[in-house]
Amino acid sequence: MHMKHDQREIAPPTVPVTYILEDPESLTDSDKAQYTLMGSRGQNLLEIALDADINIEHACGGVCACSTCHAYINEGQGSLSEPQEDEEDRVEEAPGLQHNSRLSCQCIIEGDGPIVVQIPAWNRNAVKEVPH
Ligand code: FES
């Protein structure tokens, strides 16, 4: 499921965002583990990945109501929006919490980057699919 773009003004894509996938096959059906994409100020890290078919889990659709889009920000924290209290509360529920944990849907690009985001291997496993 792709998130729809809303009516925000999106700047030209000038901010390099590198995604490091610990378990690439579960997210992309490929074994390529690193992607460098160009993002725009005003976009969040989840939507940039989804637009490039990097299928980060996003059970709530990107409204800060789950923790499945959990990611580690390895570089470029200063180019992202500050976490709000509701994000901080949610991210604490994510498995594998680290000092650089964020919810990728809540990380809005505000600076020039570069940004390096690591997607933990358990991203897919956090939500178990019910067998049919
Ligand atoms: S997709 Fe649910 S909090 Fe980010």
Side-chain angles (χ1 to χ4, degrees):
M1 178 182 79
H2 275 232
M3 295 197 315
K4 287 209 176 78
H5 290 291
D6 53 22
Q7 301 304 313
R8 283 171 301 163
E9 292 271 328
I10 298 292
T14 56
V15 183
V17 185
T18 298
Y19 292 83
I20 298 169
L21 313 181
E22 289 183 4
D23 184 7
E25 286 185 21
S26 70
L27 297 175
T28 64
D29 290 328
S30 144
D31 59 4
K32 187 176 168 192
Q34 188 165 323
Y35 293 78
T36 297
L37 308 172
M38 296 307 284
S40 301
R41 287 178 186 227
Q43 283 190 301
N44 69 55
L45 297 182
L46 175 64
E47 65 189 330
I48 295 166
L50 295 178
D51 282 349
D53 293 326
I54 300 171
N55 296 306
I56 298 172
E57 273 297 342
H58 52 289
C60 76
V63 296
C64 199
C66 69
S67 57
T68 57
C69 68
H70 179 204
Y72 303 129
I73 310 301
N74 290 353
E75 279 180 44
Q77 281 274 15
S79 290
L80 297 169
S81 57
E82 291 280 321
Q84 303 297 306
E85 208 177 312
D86 52 350
E87 180 189 347
E88 287 175 347
D89 290 347
R90 278 286 168 203
V91 81
E92 283 174 12
E93 298 168 5
L97 188 69
Q98 292 186 174
H99 69 281
N100 58 347
S101 289
R102 292 288 308 264
L103 297 178
S104 57
C105 71
Q106 300 301 306
C107 293
I108 298 167
I109 297 179
E110 294 184 344
D112 296 329
I115 297 165
V116 179
V117 194
Q118 184 174 338
I119 310 301
W122 41 257
N123 179 266
R124 272 285 165 191
N125 302 335
V127 179
K128 292 257 185 282
E129 286 181 19
V130 180
H132 300 285

